[in-house]
Amino acid sequence: MEYQLKKSVLAASITIACVISTSAHATNGYASHGFGIVQKAMGGTAVAGSDNAMNQATNPAALSFGSNNWTAGLDIFVPDRGTSYDSPQYNPGISGADLDANDDGNFPIPEIAYQRHLNDKFSIGIAAYGNGGMNATYDRPIFSQTHNTGIDFSQLFLAPGVSMKLGEKNSIGASLNLVYQRIKIGGVDSFAPFSSDPSNLSNNGYDGSTGAGLTLGWQGQVNDKVTLGLAYRSKTKMSKFDNYSGLLAEQGDFDIPSMITAGVSFKATPKTTIALDFARINYTDVASISNVNNTAQLQGQLLQGVAPADLQGPKLGDDDGAGFGWKDQNVIKLGIKHQLNNRMTLLAGYNHGKAPIPETETAFNVLAPATVEDHLTLGMDYKLSKTSNLTFQYMHAFENKIKGDGTLTAQGPASPGSIIQVGPNPLTDVTAADISMNQNSFGISYTKNF
């Protein structure tokens, strides 16, 4: 009866998480800096740990270690993002001003996970969580004459998993990542002459996409002090966003890039553990994310009087159409856990990943100003009883600004992907876009061991 009740509670909780999950937002690129409140408080480190059931979101091999438990949490994410560009001649009212992209300000991100050891060899689990996303909602048009510019994009993972012990100290695991993502983009209708499908370019409301992928992992205890971990998440093939097939490359394709994570957990003292993870997110797996902004040649043809239907070259929505120009991202995560007394454990961490946006690609990234690089995390885990814990976390991502390359040459802008047109001539009446962001998040979770 108790086991059936736990299964019912888990199923209901996952359903609730799927229904209420909203946008998770850019920290490491557009991915969360970590999965799980405990893990986020430790800079996102998780691949070599087994703190609770949320470790499986990073490494399913972690299911073999730690106790049977379920955990549920909520993170409140508060980003501050915007852009600025000069337009003294054509629009003096916004010249040099920061344009606020915070019309949508606070975002609740739920998570829930469960793990259970079936016997000495096999363990199972399931996790539901927000993988990442991006949101920028401006209070005025930027790439439109009539509609405010903005984007809202989010991803939800539902990941059942299994692990198998190889002896007492090693484990391998796998999870099936069932993914739902949705997107809404508005205020980019000025790009219509460059679109392969102008009716599916902008202001078409929310569109959903589904797909599936795998995460494979290994975790091994070298000795009583050192544990190693390695995990690989495959590229996730997603169905297309048909409502935005005239904007996103490959006719609305927006797959999820592959990621590999390796790390170590070191028990420095009986009460202090230090964790270090290295992750690589392969954004160049996905054309709509990594293609460079190549609309300059189309703009030049328009200036010469070529009709939009006769423009030559890749258009928005084509396989090689313009994207956000992102590079692959390497991320270093450091976490510390110190048991202060029998009830309280202190948590802290640091996370660094160079922003994937080059200074030559800031224009489209007005929609996705994923500029932050350095994150500081703090937290506390409090034992309520012998079988339950309450965990708190705080994350601050320091502000970082990427200044667009505004160099002009006799042939026009040196870096067209960083340029916003502010006058009638797309070769001379232009200015560079600067983008910036900082973030805070506050989270709480409850864990029950059984």
Side-chain angles (χ1 to χ4, degrees):
M1 176 67 71
E2 181 183 5
Y3 180 49
Q4 292 299 321
L5 178 61
K6 287 172 182 174
K7 289 200 298 181
S8 298
V9 170
L10 176 67
S13 300
I14 290 176
T15 300
I16 291 170
C18 292
V19 170
I20 69 173
S21 180
T22 58
S23 302
H25 296 278
T27 48
N28 296 143
Y30 75 66
S32 175
H33 79 282
F35 307 113
I37 299 301
V38 173
Q39 296 79 4
K40 288 180 178 181
M42 296 178 63
T45 54
V47 73
S50 54
D51 300 283
N52 59 31
M54 276 304 298
N55 280 83
Q56 69 183 290
T58 302
N59 187 355
L63 289 168
S64 291
F65 303 104
S67 62
N68 294 333
N69 73 89
W70 63 266
T71 183
L74 180 68
D75 207 23
I76 305 298
F77 186 81
V78 187
D80 180 12
R81 61 271 193 229
T83 187
S84 61
Y85 57 91
D86 291 326
S87 181
Q89 181 178 353
Y90 299 100
N91 200 339
I94 62 171
S95 179
D98 288 331
L99 304 186
D100 192 337
N102 298 316
D103 266 17
D104 295 325
N106 303 324
F107 303 91
I109 306 170
E111 63 183 37
I112 188 165
Y114 172 92
Q115 75 175 81
R116 185 179 186 89
H117 304 303
L118 298 179
N119 50 46
D120 292 341
K121 192 169 187 178
F122 291 100
S123 301
I124 59 171
I126 189 169
Y129 58 96
N131 175 69
M134 48 192 167
N135 177 286
T137 309
Y138 293 90
D139 60 358
R140 67 189 70 192
I142 297 177
F143 302 120
S144 171
Q145 296 297 316
T146 55
H147 297 92
N148 289 354
T149 297
I151 187 173
D152 188 38
F153 168 67
S154 57
Q155 292 175 335
L156 173 70
F157 273 48
L158 180 63
V162 61
S163 68
M164 181 178 69
K165 271 194 169 182
L166 305 175
E168 288 299 314
K169 296 184 177 182
N170 290 274
S171 172
I172 56 174
S175 65
L176 174 64
N177 302 321
L178 305 173
V179 183
Y180 172 76
Q181 60 183 11
R182 71 173 191 170
I183 198 168
K184 179 176 71 172
I185 304 173
V188 297
D189 39 288
S190 292
F191 299 151
F194 313 134
S195 174
S196 61
D197 184 6
S199 63
N200 289 304
L201 170 70
S202 181
N203 311 311
N204 288 334
Y206 281 106
D207 195 9
S209 169
T210 58
L214 290 173
T215 299
L216 305 175
W218 164 79
Q219 200 172 97
Q221 299 173 349
V222 178
N223 52 44
D224 292 341
K225 291 186 176 183
V226 178
T227 300
L228 302 178
L230 178 66
Y232 173 75
R233 188 181 74 188
S234 69
K235 177 182 176 180
T236 305
K237 181 66 177 177
M238 303 296 296
S239 60
K240 295 179 185 294
F241 287 125
D242 293 331
N243 288 1
Y244 297 99
S245 60
L247 175 64
L248 302 172
E250 298 182 315
Q251 301 81 53
D253 190 60
F254 210 91
D255 294 337
I256 299 171
S258 63
M259 178 171 67
I260 186 167
T261 307
V264 58
S265 176
F266 173 63
K267 200 168 185 64
T269 74
K271 294 185 176 182
T272 304
T273 299
I274 300 172
L276 179 67
D277 284 8
F278 173 82
R280 181 176 176 85
I281 307 174
N282 298 308
Y283 287 116
T284 55
D285 282 349
V286 184
S288 53
I289 299 174
S290 63
N291 282 3
V292 298
N293 187 339
N294 54 10
T295 59
Q297 59 178 303
L298 304 178
Q299 293 175 338
Q301 292 174 54
L302 279 179
L303 187 63
Q304 295 167 11
V306 178
D310 297 326
L311 295 178
Q312 299 298 311
K315 292 186 175 182
L316 294 171
D318 288 344
D319 289 356
D320 50 356
F324 292 95
W326 285 21
K327 305 295 185 183
D328 294 336
Q329 186 178 42
N330 297 322
V331 184
I332 297 175
K333 308 177 183 184
L334 175 67
I336 300 175
K337 175 170 58 176
H338 176 72
Q339 183 180 347
L340 193 63
N341 53 47
N342 291 334
R343 285 188 175 269
M344 185 178 296
T345 299
L346 302 180
L347 310 167
Y350 171 75
N351 175 301
H352 173 81
K354 180 175 173 57
I357 303 170
E359 63 180 9
T360 57
E361 298 293 331
T362 54
F364 270 18
N365 284 287
V366 165
L367 289 170
T371 66
V372 295
E373 297 184 344
D374 296 292
H375 311 69
L376 179 67
T377 64
L378 299 170
M380 179 186 72
D381 185 78
Y382 186 77
K383 185 176 287 294
L384 298 172
S385 69
K386 291 183 179 179
T387 60
S388 61
N389 296 64
L390 199 63
T391 307
F392 304 89
Q393 81 86 25
Y394 167 71
M395 182 275 292
H396 177 71
F398 295 91
E399 182 171 357
N400 184 45
K401 175 178 282 190
I402 299 177
K403 296 181 68 64
D405 179 5
T407 305
L408 294 178
T409 70
Q411 291 73 40
S415 301
S418 68
I419 294 300
I420 292 179
Q421 185 178 342
V422 293
N425 190 319
L427 298 181
T428 59
D429 303 335
V430 296
T431 187
D434 300 333
I435 54 177
S436 64
M437 179 185 282
N438 67 79
Q439 305 164 353
N440 293 282
S441 73
F442 309 83
I444 184 171
S445 67
Y446 174 81
T447 302
K448 179 69 174 182
N449 300 290
F450 55 91

